[in-house]
């Protein structure tokens, strides 16, 4: 599983799962903090759809953290002021980079359980929004 997909599942999924995964690593391995969780601003990049050009509508507040486990560096970056989440994401990322045995078991947790739950929640949200959609062609004016 690629880092981007894994991180997206972890950010959008259950925060309890993220804490449990990070605690599993913190209990069994030495975690060296390279960069404490700190806030910063990042330029938000958007692609304009008609001309396919890039533009920067503004800045986004992010929290970033870096840790090292077994000589491998992990990075956790999240939007907003979320130091605990960025630290836990960095620990999980470092565990994957170090190919720790715990990460093999996490694959099914993330793919089978969390990703399905996220997709179901998004489908339910989409369905509830579509219920309010107005069809102007059938309205009597």
């Amino acid at each position: 599983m690629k880092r981007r997909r894994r991180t997206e599942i972890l950010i959008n999924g259950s925060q309890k799962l993220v804490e449990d995964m990070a605690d599993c690593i913190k209990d069994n391995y030495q975690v060296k903090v390279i960069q404490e969780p700190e806030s910063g601003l990042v330029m938000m990049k958007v692609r304009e759809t008609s001309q396919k050009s890039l533009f920067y509508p503004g800045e986004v507040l992010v929290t970033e953290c870096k840790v090292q486990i077994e000589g491998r560096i992990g990075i956790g970056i999240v939007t907003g002021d979320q130091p605990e989440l960025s630290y836990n994401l960095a620990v999980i990322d470092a565990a994957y980079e170090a190919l720790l045995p715990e990460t093999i078991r996490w694959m099914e947790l993330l793919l089978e359980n969390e990703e399905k739950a996220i997709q179901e929640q998004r489908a339910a949200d989409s369905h509830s929004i579509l219920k309010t959609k107005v069809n102007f062609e059938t309205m009597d004016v």
Side-chain angles (χ1 to χ4, degrees):
M1 176 186 311
K2 297 202 182 219
R3 178 187 270 175
R4 180 184 176 114
R5 182 177 176 198
R6 179 180 68 232
T7 304
E8 186 175 324
I9 293 170
L10 291 169
I11 289 173
N12 294 321
S14 166
Q15 297 303 310
K16 177 74 172 121
L17 177 66
V18 174
E19 290 174 18
D20 291 343
M21 291 168 71
D23 287 342
C24 175
I25 297 300
K26 290 186 274 187
D27 292 342
N28 298 318
Y29 299 93
Q30 180 183 0
V31 178
K32 178 182 175 188
V33 178
I34 296 174
Q35 177 185 344
E36 291 286 337
E38 61 183 41
S39 299
L41 294 173
V42 175
M43 291 297 293
M44 183 171 45
K45 186 176 5 177
V46 178
R47 185 169 300 280
E48 192 270 321
T49 55
S50 64
Q51 295 181 355
K52 308 288 188 224
S53 61
L54 291 176
F55 70 99
Y56 300 90
E59 296 175 325
V60 177
L61 177 69
V62 297
T63 306
E64 179 180 6
C65 180
K66 292 180 186 170
V67 301
Q68 184 176 16
I69 300 173
E70 304 272 316
R72 299 294 190 156
I73 295 177
I75 301 172
I77 302 174
V78 291
T79 58
D81 185 26
Q82 303 181 65
E84 188 67 31
L85 179 58
S86 69
Y87 175 72
N88 288 336
L89 288 175
V91 169
I92 294 168
D93 187 48
Y96 272 99
E97 290 295 314
L99 301 172
L100 300 180
E102 289 84 354
T103 60
I104 296 168
R105 176 174 63 86
W106 293 348
M107 288 298 212
E108 72 179 53
L109 276 175
L110 292 177
L111 290 176
E112 294 177 8
N113 300 341
E114 249 351 85
E115 191 170 42
K116 285 182 183 176
I118 292 168
Q119 289 171 349
E120 289 170 3
Q121 181 62 41
R122 285 182 179 166
D125 291 345
S126 178
H127 181 69
S128 68
I129 291 170
L130 288 176
K131 283 197 282 186
T132 65
K133 186 176 178 180
V134 176
N135 186 352
F136 288 100
E137 292 177 6
T138 61
M139 289 181 64
D140 291 330
V141 183

